[in-house]
Amino acid sequence: ASHQRALEQFTELGHRHGQGSALQQLGAIHTLTGNYLAAVANFHQALKLFHGIGLQLSQGDTLIELASVQQLTGDYQAAAATQQQALELFGDLGDRYGEAHVICERGVVQRLTGDYQAAVASQHQASELFRELGDQQDLAWALDELGVAQRLAGDYQASAASHRRALELFRESSVQTGQADALINLGELLSQISGREQAREHYTQGLAIARDLGAPLAEARALEGIGQSDIHDGNAAEGASKLRQALAIFKRLGVPDAHRVEETLRGLGL
């Protein structure tokens, strides 16, 4: 509501930089709350305004956020193209911070498309850049993503270390969205290496934070994890209920995760 008010006032003033910034922030909020269509529209409008007044750095930042939404909705080819555009722009500007962000996001697309070793390499590169730049918060995001890629590549010990360090940094900087993601990612890892009970504890903590924040994607991921734990413990009905709640959210968001949950429910004959 505050950003919408700001957008209206900047529009009345004819202040295009302010309009672009407000649109970019609205897009970020829509991304967090799962309104991806609105986010894409906001980012495209912001890009047009920033391009019109020659604000290349703001264009690069907006391209990163647009690619993130494209990735979330499964349009990996578009996300990779948008990331490449941003990387070239930041390279021309000599902006190492922007380059680190793009490399981190590129690693996410690499992971989602099954190139786990490339994803690990990208997240290592992004982590080192953020560490050199003294950016602890973004270092935490890169480490958390690194942990996911390491788990998928089969390096569980390294994955646990990356997630735990990320969670520590998120807590130090009071980044609740990051804490929720790191807890859920740890839950996914622990469900594979040390039993479902520890995993359930992490999922439950992540779920509480996600609901407090109104972050539906994290909420659905946590519900899916808890549901899987219930099923593993022999509580099929309770687990299926959690999975259906997760599925409803995934479908509303229009993300590919819905297919995975549908497959699980079909496998249970539910």
Side-chain angles (χ1 to χ4, degrees):
S2 296
H3 287 307
Q4 185 62 46
R5 222 162 36 242
L7 175 61
E8 290 164 2
Q9 291 181 18
F10 281 128
T11 302
E12 288 174 12
L13 293 167
H15 193 296
R16 289 188 290 169
H17 185 184
Q19 285 176 260
S21 296
L23 283 162
Q24 184 184 8
Q25 292 299 323
L26 277 169
I29 297 297
H30 284 314
T31 301
L32 289 169
T33 55
N35 191 350
Y36 299 137
L37 284 176
V40 168
N42 289 149
F43 292 141
H44 278 301
Q45 291 174 59
L47 281 169
K48 186 176 180 180
L49 283 162
F50 290 143
H51 179 74
I53 53 179
L55 290 175
Q56 290 182 296
L57 186 59
S58 296
Q59 287 178 63
D61 290 340
T62 307
L63 284 167
I64 291 173
E65 295 191 85
L66 173 61
S68 179
V69 180
Q70 291 167 330
Q71 168 260 118
L72 283 167
T73 56
D75 195 349
Y76 304 133
Q77 187 174 356
T82 303
Q83 288 165 358
Q84 185 59 36
Q85 189 180 348
L87 190 60
E88 290 170 3
L89 193 153
F90 285 125
D92 290 343
L93 294 172
D95 188 325
R96 295 175 70 234
Y97 180 77
E99 287 181 305
H101 271 281
V102 179
I103 292 166
C104 182
E105 291 298 319
R106 183 177 64 191
V108 176
V109 172
Q110 289 166 333
R111 167 176 65 78
L112 290 168
T113 53
D115 195 348
Y116 303 139
Q117 294 302 332
V120 168
S122 290
Q123 298 305 348
H124 271 303
Q125 186 181 357
S127 297
E128 285 307 308
L129 281 167
F130 286 132
R131 196 174 281 113
E132 289 171 17
L133 293 164
D135 186 340
Q136 296 290 90
Q137 185 172 314
D138 286 313
L139 170 60
W141 285 110
L143 286 171
D144 195 38
E145 266 300 327
L146 173 61
V148 178
Q150 288 167 326
R151 171 175 62 82
L152 292 168
D155 193 347
Y156 298 143
Q157 187 174 355
S159 175
S162 296
H163 286 315
R164 290 192 173 110
R165 180 55 181 152
L167 182 58
E168 183 181 315
L169 289 171
F170 283 134
R171 283 173 171 162
E172 286 175 5
S173 52
S174 300
V175 180
Q176 289 186 295
T177 51
Q179 290 175 50
D181 276 357
L183 284 163
I184 294 164
N185 287 332
L186 265 170
E188 291 180 350
L189 172 66
L190 291 168
S191 70
Q192 291 182 244
I193 64 173
S194 62
R196 292 281 176 176
E197 196 52 45
Q198 274 189 301
R200 186 197 300 275
E201 291 173 14
H202 286 77
Y203 286 133
T204 302
Q205 291 177 52
L207 178 62
I209 295 171
R211 283 178 167 167
D212 283 345
L213 293 173
L217 183 59
E219 179 183 357
R221 290 184 61 217
L223 283 167
E224 182 185 2
I226 295 169
Q228 293 280 17
S229 297
D230 287 336
I231 291 165
H232 184 268
D233 293 342
N235 302 318
E238 184 65 27
S241 174
K242 295 287 195 314
L243 290 178
R244 289 192 191 97
Q245 292 176 55
L247 179 59
I249 297 171
F250 285 142
K251 281 187 169 180
R252 175 167 58 82
L253 295 176
V255 296
D257 306 72
H259 304 308
R260 180 181 63 246
V261 180
E262 286 175 330
E263 284 292 321
T264 302
L265 287 167
R266 272 197 294 271
L268 293 168
L270 297 169

